[in-house]
Amino acid sequence: MSDNNWEEILDKLETGEVRAAEPKGDRWEANREVKEAILASFSAGENTEYSGIYDGFVDKHNLPPRRFSADENVRLVPGGSSVRRGAYVAENVIIMPPAYVNVGGYVDEGSMIDSHALVGSCAQVGKNVHLSAGVQLGGVLEPVGLSPVVIEDDCFIGAGSVIVEGILVKKGAVIAPGVTLSKSIPVYDCVNEEVLGKGADIPERAVVVPGTRPMSGEWAQEQGLNVSCPLIVKYRDADSDASLELEDALR
């Protein structure tokens, strides 16, 4: 990679021409060149004091917050939100304050990023996704070959949910408030009566709620201890779709 190649790649990230991860069949793969470029931009950057509307902030000089124009048809509501250099935000996206979209992040058309929500570095958010208040999508920059968190089209992510470590949530899934998804937590499909395993992909149109399971070990069982786990309790039907319909007037 040339010394300044990272600048070209960050520009292409902002236009959506390249992405930090791309679908390959039913899987997603990290774009190593993009992630290497982002890491190179950190190495090339020097801490600087920002001025103007960002007065008092210090960050890498080459990764400033993005500015949007009305022509881009992105609604970034005042009140402490920021979209970092190298992140893509499509038309008809709404970002409520305070929220943050980090470098390499991708937010597709018609999605809502609600208050106190985070789209971490390289996280991918599809079309017509609702990230409710307090949702945290973890960032994945290292190792460069690891796929980031991906939320596919038409998903609803409930308030306070935490999705990290490259978890894939497939199209139309519903994550209820307070669910945690990571590579260390098994997913239990109560509809099909099977354990999907630790860090499993969330299937299309699955409805996931927070649950618990008994801890292993004699002492833990004697104490009646349980650990949290995600439960698939149903798959979306017409009633579910109606209750989750997005309001076009907001866009």
Side-chain angles (χ1 to χ4, degrees):
M1 180 182 297
S2 65
D3 290 344
N4 295 322
N5 190 47
W6 59 264
E7 293 184 285
E8 179 182 351
I9 289 179
L10 291 187
D11 289 340
K12 289 181 177 180
L13 282 168
E14 291 184 4
T15 63
E17 188 176 345
V18 299
R19 299 176 66 166
E22 298 170 344
K24 302 290 184 181
D26 62 350
R27 303 295 305 160
W28 285 71
E29 291 184 5
N31 187 328
R32 294 180 64 94
E33 184 181 15
V34 166
K35 296 179 76 175
E36 287 170 353
I38 292 172
L39 292 172
S41 73
F42 281 107
S43 297
E46 298 179 0
N47 283 345
T48 188
E49 297 177 8
Y50 284 86
S51 58
I53 62 174
Y54 303 115
D55 186 48
F57 289 93
V58 175
D59 194 11
K60 299 290 188 178
H61 78 283
N62 54 352
L63 292 169
R66 287 193 58 190
R67 303 291 296 271
F68 293 92
S69 67
D71 292 340
E72 293 175 89
N73 204 22
V74 172
R75 186 142 62 92
L76 180 61
V77 179
S81 295
S82 185
V83 176
R84 204 176 193 187
R85 166 92 162 110
Y88 173 74
V89 180
E91 289 189 351
N92 298 315
V93 167
I94 300 172
I95 302 174
M96 298 300 293
Y100 189 66
V101 182
N102 206 348
V103 59
Y106 187 102
V107 183
D108 216 335
E109 294 179 8
S111 290
M112 163 80 82
I113 311 300
D114 215 334
S115 300
H116 297 281
L118 166 69
V119 178
S121 53
C122 299
Q124 307 288 296
V125 177
K127 294 180 173 66
N128 302 316
V129 170
H130 188 114
L131 299 185
S132 302
V135 167
Q136 305 291 292
L137 304 184
V140 178
L141 278 176
E142 298 178 294
V144 292
L146 183 63
S147 181
V149 170
V150 177
I151 311 296
E152 293 188 340
D153 298 349
D154 302 312
C155 289
F156 186 96
I157 313 299
S161 293
V162 177
I163 304 175
V164 296
E165 298 176 350
I167 294 295
L168 169 59
V169 179
K170 293 191 173 183
K171 293 180 180 179
V174 177
I175 309 300
V179 170
T180 297
L181 300 173
S182 79
K183 293 294 187 183
S184 63
I185 303 176
V187 178
Y188 292 80
D189 188 338
C190 301
V191 177
N192 296 307
E193 298 182 351
E194 61 177 332
V195 181
L196 301 184
K198 293 182 178 180
D201 299 344
I202 301 302
E204 291 188 14
R205 301 181 65 81
V207 178
V208 185
V209 304
T212 62
R213 61 185 177 88
M215 289 187 65
S216 59
E218 182 178 348
W219 184 86
Q221 292 177 0
E222 288 175 354
Q223 307 307 311
L225 301 180
N226 294 275
V227 293
S228 62
C229 65
L231 307 177
I232 298 174
V233 294
K234 63 180 290 187
Y235 286 80
R236 284 176 67 169
D237 52 24
D239 289 340
S240 302
D241 290 342
S243 66
L244 295 168
E245 184 176 0
L246 299 181
E247 180 52 65
D248 288 340
L250 291 176
R251 287 151 181 80

